[in-house]
């Protein structure tokens, strides 16, 4: 029997310990149904999923490296993370350690037996994206309330800046600390370094709000902080005098100029090339991964390309290398033209909802309601019997059992109704997919397109095969000869690219319009 652990989490937003119990109960039911042995539980209480700084979560990731369990079961993927970047990184950590992620209520990329669920891969990506979307919507609502507080001059809470204090929810100057702030600015203007200022403050027994010595980095941060001149930037808005000014603007500007003059300019770091198809591009001949590599020509030009990982000397694979930008653009354009069409969007959306129907919580809600009604009827019958004088020890025990069952069913019903209300709909999926139609070709857009839709790219010397993350007709084959035909007529195409002749030429050759973009 394979081993699994449970990860459960609730945020402080209207959720309680009861939601943890409901999550764990459902995960245990899922494990029992799929013949998995639960060996541990990891629980984070009142912790957000917009980042992975959660004690139990980090402990679970660490423990996965010891190979003592095969699966991590979560109630839903948004319990694991609401941040798509953290989700993919942390899931990769589990996979590296030989551990798969399972959802007790959703169809995702892996089945309970460890086999790949191709249709669930796309579902999983969309579930994470939708969770991130709703998390940001909630953040916007919170910020609206914070903007109201800012307009009224009310302190938002949390840590406040050295030099200030809070009374009756208003920020006021702390006279003693404000004098220290003024001294720091004066010392820097006099030529003292931030290191020397930090040492001087320590010698004088002056410490920060936590009771620790000031570091030189903290001193520099204070010198650049516009709050000391009464300017507080929040989002796209700027507020004046939310913090009472401690430093005159003229002195603050002089310090900024001095910081600029004294700034150490480090050598520009070598840019890291991001290979979009890393882990997804395979050699069609030996089935090995094609890895991203770079080389410098004799002229100093850097060339980025993909090379078969099995291409080693005369005995290795002889698959030709592929230019990075060429293959990435080809996959991006093919995906836009093949996947992001109204017909395909509707087909994939329907497919996802059908996959989710297998776990549709509304069915569970109906079943629980029916069982709860039956339990209530049994309780009523027992109470009626007691009223008629029929009361024994067994009657009392049966009533207590039914009351406990009723309480348990009510908890299950609450959890099921919550899940049913937050289930993704066909309209939500279609809306999410349509956002990619207005493709900006930014680095993030390109990453998202490949991450969510492309399952695998198989490269031969004469063709490219793209396999997408959905069932059915999910394979697109592009004949390289077709592209070479364009390259042979590159001059002809470029000379008349805006003319009717070009359009007729493309149509006569039966060439897909998106391939033309390779030459533009």
């Amino acid at each position: 029997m394979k081993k699994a652990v449970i990860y459960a989490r609730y945020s402080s937003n209207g959720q309680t310990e009861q939601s943890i119990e409901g999550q764990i109960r459902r995960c245990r039911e899922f494990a029992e149904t799929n013949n998995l042995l639960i060996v541990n539980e990891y629980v984070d209480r009142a912790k957000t999923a917009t980042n992975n700084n959660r004690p139990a979560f980090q402990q679970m990731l660490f423990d996965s490296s010891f190979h003592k369990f095969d699966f991590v079961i979560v109630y839903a993927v948004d319990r694991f993370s609401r941040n798509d970047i953290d989700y993919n990184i942390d899931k990769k950590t589990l996979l590296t350690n030989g551990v798969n992620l399972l959802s007790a209520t959703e169809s995702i990329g892996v089945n309970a037996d460890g086999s790949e669920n191709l249709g669930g891969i796309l579902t999983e990506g969309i579930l994470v994206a939708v969770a991130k979307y709703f998390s940001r919507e909630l953040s916007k609502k919170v910020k609206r309330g914070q903007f109201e507080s800012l307009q009224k001059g009310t302190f938002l809470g949390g840590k406040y800046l050295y030099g200030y204090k809070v009374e009756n929810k208003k920020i006021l100057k702390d006279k003693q600390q404000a004098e220290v702030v003024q001294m720091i600015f004066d010392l820097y203007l006099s030529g003292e370094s931030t290191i020397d200022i930090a040492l001087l403050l320590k010698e004088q027994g002056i410490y920060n709000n936590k009771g620790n010595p000031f570091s030189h980095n903290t001193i520099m941060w204070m010198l650049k902080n516009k709050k000391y001149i009464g300017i507080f930037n929040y989002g796209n808005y700027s507020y004046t005098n939310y913090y009472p000014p401690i430093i005159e603007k003229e002195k603050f500007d002089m310090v900024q100029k001095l910081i600029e003059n004294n700034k150490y300019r480090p050598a520009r770091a070598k840019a890291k090339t991001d290979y979009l198809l890393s882990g997804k591009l395979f050699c069609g001949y030996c089935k090995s991964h094609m890895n991203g590599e770079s080389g410098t020509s004799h002229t100093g030009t850097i060339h980025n390309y993909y090379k078969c990982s099995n291409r080693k000397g005369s005995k290795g694979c002889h698959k030709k290398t592929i230019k990075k930008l060429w293959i990435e653009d080809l996959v991006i354009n093919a995906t836009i033209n093949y996947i992001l069409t109204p017909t395909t969007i509707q087909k994939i959306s329907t497919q996802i909802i059908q996959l989710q129907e297998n776990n549709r919580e509304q069915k569970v809600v109906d079943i629980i309601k029916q069982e709860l009604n039956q339990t209530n009827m049994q309780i009523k019958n027992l109470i009626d019997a007691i009223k008629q004088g029929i009361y024994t020890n067994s009657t009392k025990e049966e009533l207590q059992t039914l009351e406990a069952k009723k309480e348990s069913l009510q908890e299950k019903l609450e959890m099921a109704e919550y899940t049913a209300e937050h289930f993704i709909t066909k309209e939500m999926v279609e809306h999410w997919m349509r956002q990619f139609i207005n493709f900006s070709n930014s680095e993030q857009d390109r990453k998202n397109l490949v991450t969510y839709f492309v399952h695998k790219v198989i490269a031969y010397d004469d063709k490219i095969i793209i396999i997408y993350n959905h069932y059915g007709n999910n394979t697109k084959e592009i004949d390289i000869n077709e592209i070479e035909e364009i390259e042979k007529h590159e001059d002809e195409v470029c000379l008349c690219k805006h003319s009717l002749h070009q359009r007729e030429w493309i149509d006569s050759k039966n060439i897909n319009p998106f391939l033309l973009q390779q030459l533009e």
Side-chain angles (χ1 to χ4, degrees):
M1 179 182 289
K2 291 192 174 182
K3 298 176 181 179
V5 298
I6 294 171
Y7 176 75
R9 176 196 63 81
Y10 74 83
S11 65
S12 57
N13 182 31
Q15 293 176 302
T16 64
E17 188 74 27
Q18 182 175 312
S19 69
I20 287 289
E21 293 172 358
Q23 290 177 49
I24 292 175
R25 184 186 303 110
R26 185 62 189 276
C27 290
R28 283 192 171 276
E29 290 171 355
F30 176 84
E32 185 177 350
T33 301
N34 292 283
N35 198 30
L36 299 175
L37 175 65
I38 300 297
V39 296
N40 204 353
E41 294 174 1
Y42 299 86
V43 177
D44 280 312
R45 294 170 171 83
K47 296 293 182 181
T48 177
T50 55
N51 62 64
N52 57 11
N53 297 326
R54 292 167 264 151
F57 186 82
Q58 290 298 327
Q59 186 65 49
M60 178 267 293
L61 291 179
F62 176 76
D63 290 349
S64 71
S65 63
F66 295 102
H67 312 294
K68 292 183 179 180
F69 50 89
D70 306 292
F71 298 97
V72 172
I73 304 174
V74 293
Y75 178 78
V77 293
D78 65 353
R79 301 298 88 191
F80 190 80
S81 180
R82 287 180 182 268
N83 181 306
D84 53 348
I85 296 174
D86 286 344
Y87 183 90
N88 290 319
I89 292 173
D90 294 332
K91 185 181 174 185
K92 186 176 180 181
T93 299
L94 292 179
L95 290 174
T96 301
N97 295 332
V99 178
N100 280 303
L101 179 66
L102 296 173
S103 171
T105 62
E106 298 156 338
S107 173
I108 60 175
V110 175
N111 296 312
D113 60 359
S115 61
E116 187 176 63
N117 178 6
L118 187 57
I121 294 174
L122 180 57
T123 307
E124 183 176 356
I126 292 177
L127 287 169
V128 175
V130 170
K132 181 179 180 180
Y133 171 79
F134 282 111
S135 178
R136 288 185 174 179
E137 280 293 299
L138 178 61
S139 176
K140 286 179 181 179
K141 292 177 182 178
V142 172
K143 284 183 178 179
R144 279 198 292 270
Q146 291 174 334
F147 282 133
E148 290 294 325
S149 296
L150 288 169
Q151 295 289 348
K152 297 173 183 177
T154 305
F155 180 55
L156 295 178
K159 299 176 183 177
Y160 50 89
L161 189 62
Y162 185 88
Y164 297 96
K165 60 184 178 179
V166 176
E167 292 181 2
N168 298 322
K169 296 186 178 181
K170 298 289 183 182
I171 301 174
L172 305 174
K173 276 194 262 187
D174 182 304
K175 185 178 178 181
Q176 188 175 353
Q177 289 189 357
E179 290 175 356
V180 174
V181 174
Q182 291 170 346
M183 181 176 70
I184 290 172
F185 275 79
D186 290 338
L187 286 170
Y188 192 79
L189 280 175
S190 68
E192 298 287 348
S193 69
T194 55
I195 295 176
D196 292 336
I197 295 172
L199 289 173
L200 181 62
L201 293 175
K202 185 177 181 181
E203 289 172 1
Q204 294 185 10
I206 299 173
Y207 301 99
N208 62 23
N209 286 331
K210 290 184 177 180
N212 299 323
F214 286 88
S215 69
H216 70 93
N217 287 327
T218 300
I219 298 296
M220 180 58 71
W221 176 77
M222 291 171 68
L223 291 169
K224 293 179 178 180
N225 201 320
K226 290 184 177 181
K227 292 172 185 171
Y228 287 124
I229 57 173
I231 297 176
F232 177 43
N233 294 319
Y234 188 82
N236 297 323
Y237 297 91
S238 182
Y239 298 85
T240 56
N241 298 324
Y242 179 75
Y243 281 84
I246 292 177
I247 303 298
E248 301 87 359
K249 187 178 184 306
E250 293 76 11
K251 181 184 290 187
F252 185 86
D253 290 340
M254 289 171 63
V255 168
Q256 304 317 302
K257 288 180 181 178
L258 188 57
I259 291 173
E260 186 66 28
N261 292 336
N262 294 339
K263 187 165 61 176
Y264 173 66
R265 294 178 174 83
R268 188 182 296 270
K270 183 178 179 181
K272 182 181 177 180
T273 303
D274 190 6
Y275 291 85
L276 289 181
L277 300 179
S278 179
K280 293 179 180 283
L281 183 60
F282 294 83
C283 172
Y285 300 106
C286 68
K287 312 305 178 186
S288 301
H289 278 94
M290 294 194 70
N291 299 328
E293 296 191 10
S294 62
T296 306
S297 67
H298 67 280
T299 61
T301 304
I302 297 176
H303 297 280
N304 300 310
Y305 54 91
Y306 289 93
K307 186 176 81 171
C308 177
S309 59
N310 191 33
R311 186 177 176 181
K312 300 173 183 177
S314 58
K315 294 183 180 180
C317 179
H318 291 280
K319 170 75 185 78
K320 296 177 182 177
T321 59
I322 306 176
K323 291 180 180 178
K324 172 186 178 296
L325 189 59
W326 182 87
I327 184 66
E328 289 177 356
D329 282 350
L330 186 66
V331 172
I332 290 290
N333 287 321
T335 302
I336 290 172
N337 285 271
Y338 183 65
I339 295 294
L340 299 179
T341 64
T343 302
T344 309
I345 287 176
Q346 191 168 15
K347 185 185 298 181
I348 292 177
S349 301
T350 302
Q351 185 184 97
I352 289 173
I353 298 306
Q354 287 173 346
L355 285 168
Q356 291 301 291
E357 282 294 332
N358 296 330
N359 298 298
R360 175 60 85 175
E361 288 296 319
Q362 190 56 51
K363 293 179 180 178
V364 179
V365 169
D366 295 337
I367 293 171
I368 295 174
K369 281 183 176 179
Q370 185 178 358
E371 190 174 354
L372 186 58
N373 288 336
Q374 291 174 351
T375 304
N376 284 329
M377 183 60 68
Q378 289 174 309
I379 292 173
K380 182 180 179 300
N381 292 338
L382 270 179
I383 292 174
D384 288 343
I386 292 171
K387 287 179 180 179
Q388 294 173 16
I390 305 172
Y391 184 81
T392 64
N393 288 334
S394 60
T395 307
K396 180 181 176 181
E397 290 175 4
E398 187 176 354
L399 183 60
Q400 289 174 338
T401 301
L402 287 171
E403 289 288 355
K405 182 180 179 182
K406 176 182 176 180
E407 186 178 346
S408 175
L409 286 170
Q410 285 173 333
E411 288 182 8
K412 286 184 178 182
L413 181 61
E414 182 182 346
M415 181 63 68
E417 285 179 335
Y418 174 84
T419 307
E421 288 175 5
H422 293 80
F423 218 86
I424 62 171
T425 64
K426 187 171 183 288
E427 290 72 23
M428 289 166 65
V429 177
E430 289 179 354
H431 174 75
W432 180 82
M433 290 186 68
R434 279 196 294 270
Q435 69 178 315
F436 291 97
I437 293 175
N438 299 320
F439 187 72
S440 68
N441 205 37
S442 66
E443 182 180 354
Q444 190 58 51
D445 275 0
R446 291 165 69 88
K447 280 183 180 179
N448 288 341
L449 207 67
V450 171
T451 299
Y452 293 132
F453 298 112
V454 178
H455 177 61
K456 185 183 292 186
V457 180
I458 304 171
Y460 296 84
D461 289 338
D462 59 345
K463 64 182 177 182
I464 301 290
I465 297 175
I466 306 171
I467 302 172
Y468 293 102
N469 288 329
H470 65 89
Y471 289 128
N473 186 19
N474 64 346
T475 302
K476 177 70 175 175
E477 182 173 323
I478 302 172
D479 191 346
I480 298 300
N481 293 328
E482 189 174 29
I483 301 170
E484 289 176 349
E485 186 69 20
I486 295 179
E487 291 173 342
K488 289 177 185 177
H489 297 80
E490 180 175 355
D491 294 337
E492 182 180 358
V493 172
C494 292
L495 284 172
C496 52
K497 64 187 297 184
H498 297 295
S499 69
L500 178 63
H501 173 68
Q502 180 223 12
R503 186 77 268 150
E504 292 172 347
W505 182 83
I506 293 173
D507 291 341
S508 69
K509 298 295 182 181
N510 195 26
I511 295 173
N512 294 329
F514 79 87
L515 295 179
L516 183 63
Q517 296 178 27
Q518 306 300 319
L519 302 175
E520 294 181 346

